[in-house]
Amino acid sequence: MSLTCFRAWPRQRLLPLRSLCSPSATIVRSPSSQILVSLSLTTQLRSRSTMRQGAQIHLTEQEEAICQLLDQTCSYIHRERPNIPDIDSTQTSGDGSQPCEARIAGGWVRDKLLARDSDDLDISLSTLTGNAFALYLKHYLSSPSFAASPLARSPFFSDEGSEMGRIGKIAANPEQSKNLETATARVLGLSLDFVNLRKETYDPGSRIPTMTFGTPKEDAERRDITINSLLYNVHTRQVEDHTGLGLQDLASGLIRTPLPPLTTFLDDPLRVLRCVRFSSRFAYELHPTIIRCLTGANVAGNPADGAETSLDQLASSDDPRVSTQGSRGVESGRDQIRDALVSKVSRERFGIEVDKMIKGPNPLLALFLLHRLELFPLVFHPPPSAGKLYAASASIPPKELGQPGPDSVALNAARLLDAILGGKALEDGSPVNQSVPLDSLRIGDGRNDTQKADLSRAFSSIPTSPIPKAVLAALPADLVSSWSSASLSSEERRRLWISVALLPVRHLMYEEKKNKFAWAGESVIANGLKLGTKTLKEPVASLHRCMELLPLGRKVLSSEQTPVDAESEALDRLLHLPRGLSVKSRLALLLRNPHVSNGMLQLRPEPALLVSFISELIDLWHQHTGTFDDTATLAALQAQSTALASEYTRFWRLITQWNLVARADEKPVLDGNAVTACLGCHPKLISQIQTFVLAWQYDQPQLGGDAEEECRTWLKAEWDKGGIVPFDQRPAPPPSKGDKAKKKPVPAKTAEEGERRKRQKSE
């Protein structure tokens, strides 16, 4: 693979890899006078996980026991034909005279060939459904035949009943692109999925397949990609490559569909996302036909094929969904795939695939692949159910409609995030581009209809770091270290990647409920991807808020220039702070804000500062409207970026000088009951008063054992002289519980009334 440099586009563009680099980078000119720059792949790409020559599958003792058990179960079924009431003729193929063959399919075979561990096995059966075979397996384990076998005396089967768990059944749901019934069970501690080899046929005019038992070759051809179509025969102990391409692609690092891609993707549109996920996971290239199928772009190096040749490359000749319509069927199929990803594929399955990309080893590559396949808006823009999108506004309801920004906003931020997480910076004077012409790849925003240039086959490469050494050097080492992958939890990294991917909708809102508006990114997470509220939606929404809070706090509290009154007032308004607090207490209360530090959501200031820094760098970049071709523009941009890093250094130094990160979760020295007892105030003032209590304790150099009494004395003195809450704004305290319990005094009875009542009573 080779790195590809991107052409700079005015305003809506990906920054070229020359951006922010030193003007003294080494430049080599090709015979065609196009600018080329050489850079070693080893410094830019994570290593591929390709299969070594002559690789074989080496089974663990546990896997060996599983294979023996599957082999013996097949022999037992064919030999003794046990009668199980829950199995009928619809769950078998033919008349049952053919023995059932079991094969381990897909990811387990791939991972074993790559010398990776795997505990998730898919078992493909030749003549039985998955549920029927699972029932036979459970029956065999309790039979005398198994008890008499040497396998039963192995250590794995020493505990009676522990070898196989409950059988689960996942029903087929063609409407949601789940075309096959699956049985699941845990056997010897491993997760096994049982399913029959299948063949899918489509009637003209129908997108719902007819499922029948198939051969191993037919089953392999209906899988998502060739490296996942490999089978391991438990009887012969051989790897079977029925497409003839799986082992080859695993060795060369290529993602390719077993059948032409349009046919494969129409069978299950989710396979589009799976191609992206596996390409980013292993740093494999996507086959050119996948690019052409999804984008219509020609592939560099291939001749300009005619319509019929293109159709043969993209769809099976016997596929009635495409072949009967000729080249128009390709365009129609492309639209069907995109429509199905939005409406047909369940959002849960959709979100699971995207989440695996983000959690994988190369999330940056995954985001670039989604963009290059023009899928980025389908994934990271609000779904149609969100309705109209509005430009963010202080007025509710917002009135002005808005549109998502270009993909380049997210991709440039992703490049920054990847570089900072890995501590990668450009050395001064180092080359920054691969030996590829600057104009070799044209990047749009994924939504316009402009003609696309050729896409290089080597498009799975990862762009170089966009951060010069001077920018990272201007940041404090301890802050940069706290931003490294090693210092952040996997959940924090996941949230950061989702946050930068959602930057194109940063300034948009949608109507969550009637007259209740929320950030559009929340709709993407909750409705588009169906990911967790507490684990992802709320934390990412908080990081989104930090892009406003922390830059404003930095300008007001740590800038060398006198802050603008309007900005200072805006900060106090956002944090609900009274006027007149010290810089130290305001900074502490900023870090204490629940969007910055939150134990319930596991939010810390360091990741919030990282996403804030990236968002400000992106804003700097997009203020420039040029093409970054002249050294003066690049030098000015680098100087501005370095100055921004220096401002974050001052901000961080104040935070660490006062140890405010550790004190962000500090409890008030006076709780609500103590404040009420001290002041006798109305309960609705407690929150407002405790802000002053926190400000007082943050201003103290050190809190001693008598801090509570000192705070009480200070608070009472301020309250008595009309401070904290002015006299005219203090509601009367409610009556105490004792006062409520007292009965109203009975008026004294006059002597005459008493005498009169006595007479009435005696009468």
Side-chain angles (χ1 to χ4, degrees):
M1 291 187 295
S2 61
L3 286 174
T4 307
C5 179
F6 307 114
R7 172 189 288 177
W9 287 88
R11 296 189 180 275
Q12 295 187 356
R13 65 190 183 282
L14 279 173
L15 290 181
L17 300 185
R18 296 178 59 225
S19 299
L20 294 179
C21 68
S22 168
S24 60
T26 304
I27 296 178
V28 182
R29 295 193 179 272
S30 68
S32 61
S33 298
Q34 290 177 306
I35 298 177
L36 304 177
V37 187
S38 176
L39 182 63
S40 171
L41 271 178
T42 58
T43 63
Q44 299 301 323
L45 288 179
R46 298 173 175 86
S47 59
R48 284 182 175 184
S49 301
T50 50
M51 182 183 68
R52 65 186 185 279
Q53 193 70 23
Q56 296 181 348
I57 287 182
H58 299 282
L59 301 177
T60 64
E61 292 183 356
Q62 189 179 26
E63 291 166 341
E64 175 63 33
I66 290 284
C67 289
Q68 289 186 33
L69 178 61
L70 295 174
D71 181 37
Q72 292 179 16
T73 301
C74 290
S75 299
Y76 170 74
I77 296 170
H78 185 64
R79 182 179 66 251
E80 301 193 15
R81 300 182 184 276
N83 182 25
I84 299 178
D86 292 334
I87 300 177
D88 56 34
S89 60
T90 62
Q91 300 183 61
T92 62
S93 172
D95 58 5
S97 59
Q98 294 296 320
C100 181
E101 296 177 350
R103 294 172 173 84
I104 306 176
W108 180 87
V109 184
R110 176 202 66 227
D111 288 345
K112 294 296 287 187
L113 288 171
L114 294 175
R116 296 183 173 207
D117 294 331
S118 179
D119 60 357
D120 188 6
L121 286 72
D122 295 334
I123 312 301
S124 294
L125 296 317
S126 61
T127 61
L128 292 170
T129 64
N131 186 61
F133 186 86
L135 291 172
Y136 277 128
L137 175 58
K138 198 169 187 70
H139 188 275
Y140 173 62
L141 286 170
S142 60
S143 69
S145 297
F146 174 72
S149 69
L151 184 60
R153 295 187 291 275
S154 71
F156 295 103
F157 296 92
S158 58
D159 297 331
E160 184 177 354
S162 64
E163 60 274 358
M164 184 172 182
R166 183 183 62 86
I167 298 173
K169 187 176 179 181
I170 303 174
N173 186 358
E175 287 294 332
Q176 296 290 331
S177 295
K178 177 66 177 173
N179 296 330
L180 210 59
E181 179 183 279
T182 306
T184 64
R186 290 196 69 82
V187 180
L188 300 184
L190 297 179
S191 176
L192 271 62
D193 290 350
F194 301 93
V195 69
N196 60 278
L197 297 172
R198 86 278 194 188
K199 176 182 179 181
E200 300 173 1
T201 57
Y202 290 81
D203 295 328
S206 173
R207 62 178 177 83
I208 306 300
T210 300
M211 304 294 300
T212 59
F213 283 88
T215 65
K217 178 176 174 58
E218 290 169 335
D219 183 86
E221 290 177 341
R222 286 298 175 183
R223 294 192 175 266
D224 50 6
I225 53 179
T226 56
I227 63 172
N228 290 344
S229 69
L230 299 170
L231 301 173
Y232 181 74
N233 192 313
V234 302
H235 313 292
T236 64
R237 303 300 175 89
Q238 296 292 320
V239 174
E240 299 175 352
D241 184 7
H242 293 281
T243 67
L245 298 170
L247 293 173
Q248 170 187 327
D249 292 345
L250 196 61
S252 60
L254 185 64
I255 299 297
R256 177 187 353 216
T257 53
L259 295 176
L262 196 57
T263 297
T264 296
F265 296 152
L266 284 173
D267 288 353
D268 183 357
L270 191 71
R271 291 170 177 170
V272 172
L273 297 183
R274 289 177 61 82
C275 285
V276 173
R277 174 160 71 87
F278 285 110
S279 179
S280 64
R281 176 181 174 183
F282 298 117
Y284 284 6
E285 296 178 16
L286 288 180
H287 194 273
T289 55
I290 294 178
I291 306 169
R292 187 181 302 180
C293 168
L294 295 173
T295 67
N298 292 324
V299 181
N302 280 12
D305 300 319
E308 294 303 320
T309 305
S310 297
L311 180 61
D312 291 340
Q313 290 178 337
L314 301 181
S316 299
S317 58
D318 59 348
D319 190 337
R321 297 166 297 181
V322 179
S323 60
T324 57
Q325 303 178 56
S327 59
R328 288 178 301 175
V330 176
E331 294 293 334
S332 174
R334 185 178 300 129
D335 293 339
Q336 288 181 54
I337 292 170
R338 295 182 179 279
D339 292 343
L341 279 172
V342 174
S343 59
K344 177 185 175 185
V345 176
S346 74
R347 305 314 296 179
E348 288 80 4
R349 294 181 69 208
F350 191 97
I352 287 171
E353 289 298 323
V354 174
D355 202 29
K356 287 180 178 179
M357 295 178 202
I358 297 301
K359 291 179 178 178
N362 298 325
L364 173 65
L365 180 53
L367 296 182
F368 266 83
L369 292 176
L370 288 172
H371 166 75
R372 292 175 185 181
L373 296 179
E374 300 179 0
L375 299 172
F376 199 94
L378 292 181
V379 176
F380 293 113
H381 288 186
S385 60
K388 295 180 180 179
L389 299 179
Y390 299 89
S393 170
S395 62
I396 298 296
K399 299 178 181 179
E400 184 180 350
L401 295 178
Q403 290 290 332
D407 299 354
S408 59
V409 175
L411 298 179
N412 283 320
R415 292 168 63 196
L416 284 168
L417 178 60
D418 182 74
I420 293 173
L421 290 177
K424 297 176 293 188
L426 296 175
E427 296 289 339
D428 292 339
S430 67
V432 293
N433 293 325
Q434 196 69 10
S435 298
V436 178
L438 287 176
D439 293 337
S440 65
L441 180 61
R442 182 175 180 179
I443 298 293
D445 63 8
R447 295 191 306 276
N448 57 36
D449 297 326
T450 56
Q451 184 177 1
K452 302 174 183 64
D454 286 352
L455 286 172
S456 168
R457 281 194 60 184
F459 73 98
S460 293
S461 53
I462 301 174
T464 186
S465 167
I467 301 181
K469 185 178 180 180
V471 175
L472 280 187
L475 292 165
D478 56 338
L479 180 59
V480 174
S481 176
S482 73
W483 289 348
S484 67
S485 290
S487 299
L488 298 170
S489 69
S490 59
E491 193 61 31
E492 286 174 329
R493 294 194 299 271
R494 176 194 183 209
R495 295 167 179 177
L496 287 169
W497 282 109
I498 292 291
S499 296
V500 298
L502 293 176
L503 279 177
V505 298
R506 174 181 171 187
H507 301 295
L508 295 178
M509 304 176 72
Y510 81 108
E511 191 169 14
E512 185 180 21
K513 297 178 182 178
K514 187 174 181 179
N515 295 326
K516 181 183 178 182
F517 292 82
W519 173 48
E522 296 181 43
S523 175
V524 176
I525 297 171
N527 305 318
L529 302 177
K530 293 288 185 182
L531 298 176
T533 297
K534 292 295 182 183
T535 57
L536 201 63
K537 189 187 88 168
E538 291 184 8
V540 171
S542 290
L543 289 175
H544 165 72
R545 288 282 289 161
C546 288
M547 296 181 198
E548 178 184 12
L549 282 174
L550 293 180
L552 185 58
R554 175 190 60 75
K555 293 176 185 177
V556 171
L557 302 176
S558 67
S559 176
E560 291 183 334
Q561 301 176 352
T562 303
V564 180
D565 288 342
E567 291 180 339
S568 184
E569 292 174 1
L571 178 65
D572 289 341
R573 185 169 57 253
L574 287 172
L575 297 177
H576 306 289
L577 299 181
R579 296 177 63 86
L581 298 184
S582 68
V583 170
K584 181 180 179 181
S585 60
R586 293 170 83 193
L587 180 53
L589 291 168
L590 169 62
L591 296 186
R592 189 185 180 87
N593 185 276
H595 294 301
V596 182
S597 301
N598 190 321
M600 293 289 292
L601 298 180
Q602 298 181 348
L603 296 175
R604 299 187 299 129
E606 291 89 345
L609 283 166
L610 173 54
V611 79
S612 170
F613 178 65
I614 289 174
S615 68
E616 290 205 75
L617 266 182
I618 291 297
D619 290 342
L620 264 184
W621 288 5
H622 285 271
Q623 288 173 8
H624 290 264
T625 58
T627 58
F628 299 95
D629 287 334
D630 61 288
T631 57
T633 300
L634 291 174
L637 186 55
Q638 176 169 326
Q640 289 177 314
S641 301
T642 305
L644 177 64
S646 298
E647 291 177 14
Y648 268 82
T649 296
R650 284 192 296 274
F651 193 44
W652 179 250
R653 288 295 176 231
L654 284 179
I655 293 172
T656 55
Q657 173 187 336
W658 292 322
N659 195 29
L660 296 182
V661 171
R663 299 186 65 185
D665 296 327
E666 200 170 86
K667 293 182 179 180
V669 293
L670 297 179
D671 61 16
N673 291 331
V675 169
T676 303
C678 177
L679 304 180
C681 60
H682 196 285
K684 72 178 185 180
L685 297 177
I686 297 297
S687 176
Q688 185 177 351
I689 295 170
Q690 279 199 319
T691 299
F692 284 89
V693 171
L694 286 167
W696 175 88
Q697 71 186 64
Y698 283 130
D699 281 334
Q700 305 309 304
Q702 189 173 359
L703 293 178
D706 54 354
E708 184 175 342
E709 186 59 36
E710 290 177 1
C711 183
R712 187 180 288 107
T713 302
W714 167 84
L715 182 63
K716 181 65 174 172
E718 290 292 320
W719 183 262
D720 289 343
K721 65 183 182 183
I724 301 178
V725 180
F727 289 119
D728 59 350
Q729 297 179 17
R730 300 177 185 177
S736 64
K737 293 182 180 179
D739 292 339
K740 291 180 180 179
K742 291 179 181 178
K743 295 182 179 179
K744 293 182 179 180
V746 179
K749 299 177 182 177
T750 63
E752 293 181 359
E753 288 177 342
E755 290 296 329
R756 182 173 57 81
R757 290 187 178 183
K758 286 181 180 180
R759 287 195 301 270
Q760 289 176 346
K761 188 175 182 180
S762 63
E763 292 174 357

